[in-house]
């Protein structure tokens, strides 16, 4: 996995549900891209100060929703169908953010330039007919 997702300490009332919601938010927002590996259940439990079974319940909820796929040797990864953007695009966006941040660029300027370039390129692209 790329940068470790930043999770807040789990809510004591229902820690599994809270962990599930936090990870789900990272996935649907694109902060965890398709194919990216989640921390192990044990690592998540250790990081958040909960029992491994609690973290495992959160992972099972994500799996039941089709957001992650768990495989014994490969760990738990964001499902290809769950990612808002492909992992390669997420990596490039992260690189762009890192570069822009290192030169002190204003985030709003970066977003505006990206949007303008996107709109210009898609406006110039030939229309693709619907099948």
């Amino acid at each position: 996995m790329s940068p470790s997702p930043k999770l807040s300490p789990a809510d004591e009332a229902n820690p599994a549900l809270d962990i599930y919601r936090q990870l789900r938010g990272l996935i649907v927002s694109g902060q965890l891209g398709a194919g990216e590996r989640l921390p192990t259940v044990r690592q998540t439990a250790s990081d958040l100060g909960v029992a491994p079974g609690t973290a495992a319940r959160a992972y099972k909820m994500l799996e039941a929703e089709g957001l992650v796929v768990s495989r014994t040797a490969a760990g738990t990864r964001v499902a290809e169908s769950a990612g808002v953007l492909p992992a390669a695009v997420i990596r490039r966006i992260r690189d762009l953010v890192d570069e822009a941040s290192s030169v002190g660029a204003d985030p709003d300027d970066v977003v505006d330039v990206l949007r303008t370039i996107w709109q210009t390129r898609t406006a110039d692209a030939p229309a693709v007919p619907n099948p």
Side-chain angles (χ1 to χ4, degrees):
M1 184 180 67
S2 293
S4 296
K6 303 297 183 222
L7 298 175
S8 303
D11 178 12
E12 290 180 18
N14 192 341
L17 182 60
D18 189 53
I19 294 166
Y20 155 80
R21 286 180 177 151
Q22 290 185 57
L23 287 170
R24 184 181 190 285
L26 291 169
I27 293 167
V28 300
S29 70
Q31 293 179 58
L32 282 174
E36 285 194 275
R37 190 172 182 169
L38 274 64
T40 65
V41 167
R42 288 189 189 280
Q43 185 63 54
T44 297
S46 174
D47 290 349
L48 300 179
V50 298
T54 300
R57 280 193 300 280
Y59 278 46
K60 288 293 181 196
M61 286 188 265
L62 292 166
E63 193 169 18
E65 194 174 335
L67 294 173
V68 300
V69 176
S70 295
R71 294 209 178 20
T72 303
T76 302
R77 296 185 179 273
V78 175
E80 291 299 325
S81 61
V84 175
L85 295 171
V89 174
I90 296 291
R91 278 192 298 277
R92 304 254 332 250
I93 291 170
R94 287 181 182 145
D95 291 344
L96 170 65
V97 168
D98 290 345
E99 180 67 23
S101 178
S102 74
V103 297
D106 182 277
D108 290 332
D109 291 341
V110 174
V111 171
D112 289 345
V113 169
L114 179 61
R115 183 175 287 114
T116 300
I117 291 170
W118 185 279
Q119 290 169 343
T120 302
R121 294 231 175 136
T122 56
D124 292 342
V128 178
N130 287 335

